[in-house]
Amino acid sequence: MQLTVLGAGTCVPVEGYSPAGYVLRRAEDVVLIDAGPGTLARLERAGIRYRDLKLVLFSHLHPDHTLDLVTLLQANNATPGWKRTEPLQVAGPRGMRRFLERLYQAFEGIAPEAYEIRVDELGESQHDIGGWHLATGLTGHTPNSLAYRVEAEGHTVVFSGDAAAVEPLARLARGADLLVCECSFPQGWATSDHLTAGQAGEVAHAAGVKRLLLTHLYPAALEQDPARQAGAMFAGKVDLARDGYTTDV
Ligand SMILES: [Zn+2]
Ligand SMILES: [Zn+2]
C-alpha cells in the first residue's frame, strides 16, 4: 500500500499543513480517509481523480475533516460533460446519515442525482467495506469519533482520527506497520479532546507499532519539535507529516 497525506494540519491555516485528508492506494483501488477543505484539489495533485473514488471514510464530523465532502458531492453532479453514475460508499461515525441529510438541505445541488450513496455508520467493530478490511475503535475525541485500522496486501496502517485517549487507540493499533497519529499539541499541553506529542509516542509504544507518523499538527505542536517529544516515549521510527508526504506501507 502507499499512503499520501493530503492534509497534515487542522482548521488553523498553516502553509504545508492543510486540514485533514489521507489517501491509501493499493494495486486495484484507493480509499480516501477524511476530507477537510481543499482535500479534493490535493487529491488531484497526488494523481488521483475524484471520479475514481469508490469509498470515503470519515473519522468524525468536524469541518476540518469533512468540508470537502460537499465539494465531492457537487463535483459528482456538476462536472461539465460527466455525471457520476457509480455508487459511492461512505462510512463514518454514528450520525453520518443525518449529517448527509443536513448537508443536502444546507447546500443546493449536492444531493446525488444519477448515482447512489451507500452509508455505513460504524461503532467499534470489524468491517469489510468496498473490498477493504477495516476495524474501528472509539477515540474519545467526540462520543462517536472513530480510529480506523486498515489491512491490505499483508500490511496494516492505523489512522487515529482525532483522539483523546491513549489506551483504546493503542489496543486498535496493536502491532501495526504504521500508526498515523494525531499530535495536536506539544508535550505538557494536555486537553480532554486531543493528544499531545508525548501521548502519541505513548500510543505507539504501548501498541508496539513499527513506525509513527505525526499529523493533525496545530502551530503550537509544530513549534516544539513534536517528533523529538514523541520519540522520547517510543523507540521506533517517528516521522512528521506534511501535505504531500508519501510513504509505502
Ligand atoms: Zn481535527
Ligand atoms: Zn475534531
Side-chain angles (χ1 to χ4, degrees), residues 36-111:
T39 292
L40 235 53
R42 293 189 295 279
L43 187 71
E44 191 75 16
R45 204 171 301 150
I48 297 169
R49 301 192 327 160
Y50 66 91
R51 299 178 181 201
D52 297 331
L53 289 174
K54 295 190 181 84
L55 173 63
V56 187
L57 308 176
F58 289 98
S59 62
H60 66 299
L61 303 178
H62 283 161
D64 58 321
H65 299 252
T66 56
L67 272 186
D68 247 22
L69 174 58
V70 174
T71 315
L72 175 63
L73 297 182
Q74 185 184 19
N76 282 345
N77 290 338
T79 300
W82 177 79
K83 238 185 210 311
R84 186 180 184 101
T85 54
E86 296 292 314
L88 179 67
Q89 194 102 34
V90 172
R94 278 188 290 273
M96 189 79 223
R97 274 192 202 91
R98 182 167 144 71
F99 179 73
L100 268 168
E101 292 298 330
R102 291 164 73 182
L103 289 180
Y104 299 160
Q105 286 165 15
F107 294 97
E108 256 175 58
I110 68 161

Side-chain angles (χ1 to χ4, degrees), residues 21-229:
Y22 308 89
V23 67
L24 265 184
R25 300 177 224 216
R26 61 178 178 182
E28 60 270 43
D29 58 1
V30 304
V31 57
L32 178 65
I33 299 123
D34 283 343
T39 292
L40 235 53
R42 293 189 295 279
L43 187 71
E44 191 75 16
R45 204 171 301 150
I48 297 169
R49 301 192 327 160
Y50 66 91
R51 299 178 181 201
D52 297 331
L53 289 174
K54 295 190 181 84
L55 173 63
V56 187
L57 308 176
F58 289 98
S59 62
H60 66 299
L61 303 178
H62 283 161
D64 58 321
H65 299 252
T66 56
L67 272 186
D68 247 22
L69 174 58
V70 174
T71 315
L72 175 63
L73 297 182
Q74 185 184 19
N76 282 345
N77 290 338
T79 300
W82 177 79
K83 238 185 210 311
R84 186 180 184 101
T85 54
E86 296 292 314
L88 179 67
Q89 194 102 34
V90 172
R94 278 188 290 273
M96 189 79 223
R97 274 192 202 91
R98 182 167 144 71
F99 179 73
L100 268 168
E101 292 298 330
R102 291 164 73 182
L103 289 180
Y104 299 160
Q105 286 165 15
F107 294 97
E108 256 175 58
I110 68 161
E113 289 175 2
Y115 69 102
E116 180 195 354
I117 292 195
R118 296 173 185 160
V119 182
D120 287 293
E121 294 193 353
L122 309 178
E124 216 159 11
S125 47
Q126 302 208 5
H127 325 269
D128 279 300
I129 300 176
W132 293 82
H133 184 64
L134 310 172
T136 43
L138 298 173
T139 72
H141 170 65
T142 63
N144 300 335
S145 287
L146 297 173
Y148 286 89
R149 180 184 179 102
V150 185
E151 290 174 28
E153 299 177 338
H155 295 278
T156 302
V157 52
V158 172
F159 296 88
S160 71
D162 286 5
V166 168
E167 202 276 325
L169 190 53
R171 220 180 318 129
L172 185 75
R174 187 85 60 217
D177 295 287
L178 177 64
L179 169 61
V180 182
C181 193
E182 82 121 290
C183 177
S184 290
F185 301 119
Q187 186 73 327
W189 190 320
T191 63
S192 60
D193 58 353
H194 282 294
L195 298 177
T196 64
Q199 287 173 315
E202 279 177 44
V203 174
H205 173 74
V209 302
K210 290 198 183 116
R211 291 161 60 204
L212 171 63
L213 179 64
L214 301 175
T215 189
H216 200 272
L217 297 136
Y218 279 99
L222 285 166
E223 283 162 10
Q224 294 201 30
D225 198 350
R228 186 185 53 77
Q229 292 184 346

